[in-house]
Amino acid sequence: MKFICALCGYNYKSKEGDPENGVAPGTYFEDISDDWICPLCGASKEDFEVIEDEDDITDDEEF
């Protein structure tokens, strides 16, 4: 899954985290504090959209 800011398009990547704002690499989006904000535009965590990534699709899912 991808977590994209609806206001500016910032893509939160758990592999990278957001160390400059206290989020360690490897932190899942769901585990980020609710008061975390987008590092580019200051949007709240609630302003992020979940986008299904093709890499997340498993072989047992029906299309």
Side-chain angles (χ1 to χ4, degrees):
M1 281 188 265
K2 293 182 180 180
F3 298 90
I4 309 291
C5 178
L7 302 180
C8 74
Y10 172 78
N11 180 6
Y12 175 79
K13 298 175 184 171
S14 60
K15 182 175 154 181
E16 298 173 8
D18 183 17
E20 293 180 10
N21 293 298
V23 180
T27 303
Y28 291 109
F29 189 80
E30 296 85 0
D31 295 332
I32 298 173
S33 172
D34 288 336
D35 63 354
W36 176 82
I37 59 172
C38 176
L40 295 184
C41 73
S44 72
K45 189 175 169 186
E46 294 176 355
D47 291 317
F48 278 70
E49 299 175 344
V50 179
I51 307 294
E52 293 294 326
D53 191 346
E54 289 181 12
D55 295 336
D56 290 340
I57 297 174
T58 60
D59 293 336
D60 61 344
E61 289 187 53
E62 293 183 18
F63 295 93

